[in-house]
Amino acid sequence: MSDAVETPRTHFIRQIIEADLASGRCSRVVTRFPPEPNGYLHIGHAKSIVLNFGLAESFGGLCNLRFDDTNPHKENIEYVEAIKRDVRWLGYDWGDRLYFASDYFEQLYQFALELIEKGLAYVCDLSVEEIRAYRGTLTKPGRNSPWRERSVEENLDLFKRMRAGEFPDGSRTLRAKIDMASPNINLRDPVLYRIKRGVIHHQTGNAWCLYPTYDYTHPISDALEGVTHSLCTLEFEDHRPLYDWVIEHVSVPSRPRQYEFSRLNLEYTVMSKRRLTELVEEGYVKGWDDPRLPTLAGLRRRGYTPESIRAFCERIGVTRADNRVEMAMLESAIREDLEAKAPRRLAVLYPLRVTLIDYPEGASEWLELPNHPKDPAQGTRLVPFGRTLYIDRRDFAEHPPKGFKRLVPGGEVRLRGAYVIRAEEMIKDETGAIVELRCTLDLNTLGKDPEGRKVKGVIQWVSAEHAIPAEIRLYDRLFKVPMPGAKGDWRADLNADSLKVIAESLVEPSLKTVEPGARFQFEREGYFVVDPDSTPERPVFNLSVGLRDTWGRQS
Ligand code: ATP
Ligand code: MG
């Protein structure tokens, strides 16, 4: 598993498509990814994107990007643009097939007239509450609306006047005439159209005051686009009979079929757009691209590569079983990708001053360090060395715990890519805190261990004269529990320490001119990415993931 690009695994949907191609039900696969532009995409959407675009790709078919924009209250153009950016970033191309369900409003309206003419839809004057009361329950059949037997003429007249804006919001709906006693509640005369006057739609402006429901819009949009396999998550399983009913009763040009798979759930985070919107709007995070969020914009800012997300989506597979995936599995995918790609650098998160008392005063030298220990093709860089250095304060222990392999009083440690040093003396301030180490170094140890001694510990360092101050942002899980909100309000499960900012870190000078998005491994610390908040004076790095892989190692 060294390459992050996975060979697609087979699964039940892939098998259905293979059978459909073999039997001739379709000659070319057409799928679609149908986001509603009411929030940013998250890693769950990535599963659906990888599935839809990936299937089209591997069968030589097409995948459309279609915005499911029938609910203008919650939608806006910022979300449309963010979604397009994220799909492109993941590496997928919808070509010239960018669609909006709102492109079909006129055709959807004409199909509604067709249903009315066939006696299969009627204008109903019940209020939302009355419709709910008439609907019945899982155990009790519903009751027919008193408006169910209106004549075709009256229905046509009223529906046209609904479109013309003659009636207030909530006064009337158009409903399918199916079966109020159906065991499937979705078939109990579902609403097809609602009146929403005075809202401005991000695509159609004020052209419409009548908006179709998702259940009516989706199958027709699929059929108009020639979608062969309409893939959605399991909560739509009970809607499938309605999907099929719509396709059967209007004269659409093709017959798509719906298949459901289970949603991706990730531990220690939330994924519904409603929750994510609350996290953003209530200020628990700094925006939709906060690196703690499971949004694609957040994961990108956190340093995830598109390749690692696609590999993760392939690995979790596609089934109909409920599941909750461990965060460690996602982390493992990015670690694996960056292990091969990310150049190594030296950074000291918590600096402790070190003076090399036997190194000549005012002298310095540039040492050549490899960018990658296993990949000589990534070349080398020069790192300055001098009499005053900083090491990480966690790499020195006055009273070392058992097994401590780094620097201790009188002990030796190797500086990565440089010399072996020995701690001779600690300088403490008035509070007793260690503020400086005075060390000696052995000039004969550059790149080799001293005669007769084996030095176990290797630590990172920077030259005091040359190092650049940097801000380092360490992230932890956004929630304290695997299933936030399972026991009451999800807000109570937030992890108060999910972001830790280290303002006084130091990094090697080659990191002075880095671009946002550049990724590195800080030796012995983890993988870091340059944040867009960076300036040349003060680079800012986000922790993508630590070095230690826990995925698959526990059991
Ligand atoms: P949310 O529940 O987060 O609000 P949604 O399903 O309302 O998401 P849509 O924009 O309608 O969001 O989703 C677009 C597509 O992505 C749909 O086909 C949906 O089934 C799929 N999708 C959404 N969330 C997940 C998930 N967690 N796992 C897999 N697919 C998902
Ligand atoms: Mg939805």
Side-chain angles (χ1 to χ4, degrees):
M1 288 214 293
S2 63
D3 197 343
V5 182
E6 304 269 301
T7 349
R9 281 203 267 164
T10 194
H11 50 70
F12 75 102
I13 296 177
R14 195 169 271 280
Q15 288 159 0
I16 288 167
I17 293 177
E18 281 161 1
D20 286 346
L21 288 168
S23 74
R25 182 182 84 82
C26 62
S27 53
R28 180 165 71 166
V29 176
V30 182
T31 57
R32 85 288 169 265
F33 173 62
E36 182 179 359
N38 60 349
Y40 278 56
L41 297 181
H42 51 63
I43 182 81
H45 292 112
K47 174 175 179 174
S48 174
I49 295 169
V50 170
L51 177 64
N52 280 293
F53 279 93
L55 284 171
E57 213 164 71
S58 63
F59 287 102
L62 298 172
C63 180
N64 303 341
L65 175 61
R66 183 202 315 142
F67 286 96
D68 160 31
D69 58 345
T70 56
N71 199 0
H73 287 297
K74 290 188 189 161
E75 300 166 3
N76 72 51
I77 201 76
E78 179 202 342
Y79 296 141
V80 170
E81 293 308 320
I83 290 169
K84 284 158 68 177
R85 190 159 62 231
D86 287 346
V87 175
R88 244 185 247 119
W89 177 73
L90 267 187
Y92 297 104
D93 182 6
W94 54 87
D96 56 0
R97 297 172 320 284
L98 171 65
Y99 301 117
F100 291 85
S102 56
D103 296 340
Y104 312 130
F105 279 174
E106 183 61 39
Q107 289 167 86
L108 288 158
Y109 176 80
Q110 296 299 327
F111 286 127
L113 294 177
E114 180 184 345
L115 285 176
I116 294 173
E117 279 160 6
K118 287 178 173 167
L120 293 172
Y122 62 96
V123 173
C124 180
D125 298 359
L126 295 181
S127 66
V128 178
E129 298 77 41
E130 289 167 328
I131 289 179
R132 196 175 301 128
Y134 273 72
R135 191 189 294 137
T137 63
L138 283 174
T139 50
K140 255 180 46 201
R143 283 178 292 141
N144 283 352
S145 161
W147 310 101
R148 201 174 196 260
E149 300 308 327
R150 274 177 162 150
S151 70
V152 169
E153 289 66 37
E154 190 184 1
N155 281 322
L156 285 175
D157 173 61
L158 286 172
F159 189 54
K160 288 175 184 167
R161 288 166 59 198
M162 281 165 69
R163 176 179 185 171
E166 285 187 30
F167 310 119
D169 290 13
S171 61
R172 293 197 155 98
T173 56
L174 184 75
R175 298 177 67 182
K177 196 176 195 175
I178 308 181
D179 179 6
M180 287 307 292
S182 171
N184 184 336
I185 293 185
N186 295 299
L187 295 180
R188 294 184 189 168
D189 291 9
V191 171
L192 307 180
Y193 272 92
R194 296 188 182 89
I195 300 171
K196 292 179 187 182
R197 296 195 305 186
V199 294
I200 302 295
H201 187 286
H202 51 100
Q203 301 298 319
T204 57
N206 60 4
W208 291 88
C209 60
L210 203 56
Y211 286 92
T213 54
Y214 172 88
D215 280 336
Y216 175 66
T217 307
H218 208 80
I220 294 177
S221 306
D222 283 344
L224 291 173
E225 291 174 16
V227 166
T228 53
H229 298 80
S230 180
L231 313 178
C232 61
T233 35
L234 274 175
E235 69 273 20
F236 292 104
E237 184 173 19
D238 292 345
H239 298 239
R240 185 172 0 115
L242 178 53
Y243 183 102
D244 291 340
W245 184 92
V246 172
I247 293 297
E248 197 181 317
H249 292 102
V250 297
S251 45
V252 283
S254 77
R255 314 205 103 210
R257 284 193 201 160
Q258 174 182 305
Y259 298 93
E260 309 87 23
F261 62 96
S262 53
R263 303 176 81 82
L264 165 66
N265 296 301
L266 254 192
E267 286 186 342
Y268 296 97
T269 191
V270 290
M271 212 101 89
S272 91
K273 277 188 277 191
R274 189 159 59 88
R275 289 272 179 284
L276 294 171
T277 306
E278 288 164 343
L279 280 165
V280 172
E281 287 179 355
E282 296 173 26
Y284 293 107
V285 294
K286 290 178 184 162
W288 283 98
D289 66 347
D290 190 296
R292 290 167 289 181
L293 290 181
T295 54
L296 295 182
L299 291 168
R300 175 165 61 233
R301 191 163 180 179
R302 181 77 175 259
Y304 274 77
T305 58
E307 293 81 1
S308 65
I309 293 178
R310 294 202 305 262
F312 168 76
C313 290
E314 292 290 352
R315 264 174 227 178
I316 55 176
V318 179
T319 69
R320 290 173 55 89
D322 242 348
N323 62 83
R324 186 163 287 266
V325 174
E326 283 178 55
M327 195 63 105
M329 191 169 171
L330 180 60
E331 291 172 349
S332 175
I334 181 64
R335 192 179 287 113
E336 214 171 279
D337 194 21
L338 293 182
E339 153 59 25
K341 284 182 189 163
R344 277 39 175 178
R345 292 291 181 266
L346 297 178
V348 170
L349 270 51
Y350 302 96
L352 171 62
R353 194 177 175 87
V354 170
T355 304
L356 301 173
I357 49 182
D358 53 356
Y359 194 82
E361 205 93 44
S364 67
E365 63 191 300
W366 290 76
L367 303 175
E368 189 174 4
L369 267 67
N371 286 327
H372 195 287
K374 292 180 210 141
D375 182 10
Q378 293 195 27
T380 61
R381 69 195 188 283
L382 293 173
V383 183
F385 188 86
R387 183 178 158 89
T388 312
L389 308 176
Y390 284 96
I391 64 167
D392 195 293
R393 54 176 71 254
R394 294 165 301 172
D395 285 334
F396 176 79
E398 185 179 4
H399 307 288
K402 204 163 166 279
F404 189 80
K405 293 206 186 72
R406 293 156 283 160
L407 201 55
V408 299
E412 290 189 331
V413 77
R414 172 172 290 285
L415 299 175
R416 169 73 86 211
Y419 303 96
V420 171
I421 60 170
R422 176 199 299 272
E424 307 289 355
E425 189 188 341
M426 297 174 286
I427 315 271
K428 296 184 175 178
D429 66 11
E430 59 281 3
T431 69
I434 300 165
V435 293
E436 183 180 337
L437 296 179
R438 295 171 71 78
C439 300
T440 49
L441 93 166
D442 185 342
L443 281 171
N444 297 316
T445 56
L446 188 59
K448 60 176 194 298
D449 271 354
E451 275 314 304
R453 289 151 29 219
K454 196 115 181 74
V455 181
K456 284 224 184 73
V458 182
I459 64 173
Q460 70 273 29
W461 53 276
V462 291
S463 153
E465 189 193 335
H466 306 85
I468 320 169
E471 175 175 320
I472 296 209
R473 300 178 183 168
L474 302 179
Y475 300 97
D476 197 354
R477 292 166 169 157
L478 191 52
F479 290 92
K480 293 178 289 192
V481 297
M483 290 179 68
K487 292 188 198 134
D489 189 5
W490 57 271
R491 289 171 187 81
D493 294 331
L494 278 162
N495 172 10
D497 300 316
S498 57
L499 169 61
K500 182 168 181 184
V501 177
I502 314 176
E504 306 305 328
S505 295
L506 293 169
V507 298
E508 64 168 78
S510 72
L511 291 167
K512 191 166 174 66
T513 49
V514 285
E515 293 293 322
R519 303 177 181 91
F520 302 95
Q521 184 198 98
F522 289 169
E523 297 219 28
R524 301 186 56 243
E525 292 289 357
Y527 296 96
F528 289 80
V529 64
V530 181
D531 190 82
D533 288 346
S534 269
T535 62
E537 292 71 43
R538 188 177 173 75
V540 178
F541 296 93
N542 294 321
L543 172 67
S544 305
V545 69
L547 293 177
R548 216 172 76 85
D549 195 349
T550 52
W551 169 243
R553 300 247 170 107
Q554 291 108 324
S555 49

